[in-house]
Every structure is written in structure tokens, then in C-alpha cells.
Amino acid sequence: YSSLLTPKETQLAIFAVKDYIEANLCKELNLMRVTVPLIVDVESGVNDMLDRDGSRTPIQFHIANDHDQNPVDAQIVQAATKWKRMALKQFDMKPGEGLVTDMRAVRKDYFLDHDHSAYVDQWDWELAITEEQRTLGFLKSVVEKIWKVIKGAEMHVKELFPQLKTNRYPDLPDELTFIHAEDILDRYPDLPRKQRETNILQDY
């Protein structure tokens, strides 16, 4: 791998893409920016586990608040799933309103490779919807809005940095193809999940 941009240009491009995506996610999905806490009280129950068996535990430490008169046992956030649901209520989000956050987290028991790091910087968002909106059609419409933003970010960064317009990496498709997980299972019943997903991509 060799970068098409200099280190300075790479940083500028990263923040241009992040700013574009955040601003346009808010526009398309009617979201507002909210900051996720990095540190939470253990007793709050806000922190999320990364697995069902509890094998990947959060970083935990003691805060001797007021010389241990009001101590706090704290944890570094691992994921924001529970917090987002609580935030919707805290900020009195009505149906059709939501939040977006550029979450920072630390995962000490995570496996490390080219896709994973102990330090996590990722977007999270949550939208308040009605019971009637819990349909496949509505969810598809939301995904299409998100894809519109991602596609727009690609075009935006290529306008800023024309050297990214290269045949080395194909452009993102304008439209998505939706495939149900059950359909993939029917097609490859004897393959594990990840292999099924790889095969379906190759078929398309």
C-alpha cells in the first residue's frame, strides 16, 4: 500500500470527510451533535460489554473524590449503545429526532489488526421512531439516506484532492443492493457467516 496523499494532505482529507459526514448526517436524519462521556460511573450501568460472556471487560479505576469522602469507581467507555438510548430520553427527542456523536472509547481486550485498535474513534447515532415505523421499508429509506451522505463525502474529498481520482480504487456505487441475511443463508447453507458474506459479494 502507498498513500495517494502526503501525511499533511491525509490529515486534511480525514477531517474534511468527517466534517462532511457529520454535518450531512444531521441534515438527512434530523440529528443533533452530542458528546459521549469517556468516563462513566460503574454504578450507572451505562457502559456496554463487547460480548455476552463478559470476557472483554472495560478499563476500571478508582477516583478518590474529595479524599475518598465521595469516591467514584469509574470505567472507560467501551461502546455507547446504552448511553445513546438514555440520551434520547435525556434530551427529550421526539419521533423523527435523534443524535450523532463521534465516540471515543478504549477497548483493552480487543484483538488488534489492520481493522481494529485498542483506541476507538467511531460515529454512533440514534433516531427516535414510532412503533409504526419499525418496518423494513422505513429502515431501507434510512440506510439510503446514510449512503447518500457517504457517497457525497467521496465526491467532496475528491473535489478537494483530485489526486484521489484514480483507477486504483473504484468509485462507490450510486445505489445500494439490499440482500436479506436469510436469503444468503439459503444460498450458502453450509458456509460460516463471514464466508457467506464474502461469497455473495463475489457473486455480485
Side-chain angles (χ1 to χ4, degrees):
Y1 171 78
S2 61
S3 177
L4 297 172
L5 304 178
T6 67
K8 181 179 180 180
E9 289 170 335
T10 299
Q11 289 302 306
L12 292 172
I14 288 171
F15 282 100
V17 168
K18 292 183 74 171
D19 288 345
Y20 181 97
I21 290 177
E22 184 175 282
N24 285 277
L25 274 181
C26 288
K27 178 181 176 182
E28 290 292 332
L29 298 179
N30 194 29
L31 309 177
M32 63 175 278
R33 169 71 189 271
V34 183
T35 300
V36 175
L38 176 64
I39 301 169
V40 295
D41 189 332
V42 173
E43 298 301 321
S44 70
V46 172
N47 210 359
D48 253 348
M49 298 297 104
L50 297 176
D51 44 40
R52 294 181 180 179
D53 63 7
S55 61
R56 291 184 283 183
T57 58
I59 295 171
Q60 187 164 322
F61 57 96
H62 181 80
I63 301 175
N65 189 29
D66 193 19
H67 302 287
D68 266 337
Q69 295 302 307
N70 299 286
V72 177
D73 287 319
Q75 290 178 343
I76 301 292
V77 168
Q78 291 194 131
T81 306
K82 292 178 183 174
W83 177 86
K84 288 183 297 178
R85 309 283 164 76
M86 294 173 61
L88 287 181
K89 182 177 181 180
Q90 178 183 353
F91 295 107
D92 192 28
M93 297 293 188
K94 301 296 189 292
E97 299 177 336
L99 58 91
V100 63
T101 182
D102 189 6
M103 184 196 75
R104 269 73 168 184
V106 179
R107 298 171 176 174
K108 67 178 178 63
D109 297 321
Y110 225 42
F111 54 90
L112 307 179
D113 60 20
H114 63 286
D115 287 328
H116 300 88
S117 170
Y119 173 70
V120 178
D121 178 1
Q122 70 181 40
W123 271 294
D124 276 281
W125 65 276
E126 196 82 8
L127 183 68
I129 64 174
T130 64
E131 187 70 29
E132 292 72 28
Q133 289 174 316
R134 293 178 180 272
T135 66
L136 189 57
F138 179 79
L139 294 177
K140 283 184 176 180
S141 71
V142 171
V143 172
E144 286 169 343
K145 289 178 180 179
I146 296 171
W147 187 251
K148 176 184 174 183
V149 173
I150 294 173
K151 179 65 180 179
E154 176 192 50
M155 297 170 63
H156 176 63
V157 77
K158 287 185 176 181
E159 290 281 335
L160 296 175
F161 300 95
Q163 58 269 49
L164 293 175
K165 298 176 182 179
T166 171
N167 292 330
R168 189 194 299 184
Y169 306 108
D171 290 342
L172 296 173
D174 293 329
E175 297 181 359
L176 293 176
T177 299
F178 291 92
I179 307 172
H180 199 287
E182 292 298 323
D183 294 334
I184 303 176
L185 179 59
D186 290 342
R187 192 162 181 170
Y188 309 107
D190 300 323
L191 294 179
R193 178 180 59 83
K194 288 188 176 182
Q195 189 60 50
R196 292 198 300 267
E197 294 171 355
T198 299
N199 280 30
I200 200 71
L201 288 174
Q202 293 172 343
D203 287 351
Y204 276 84

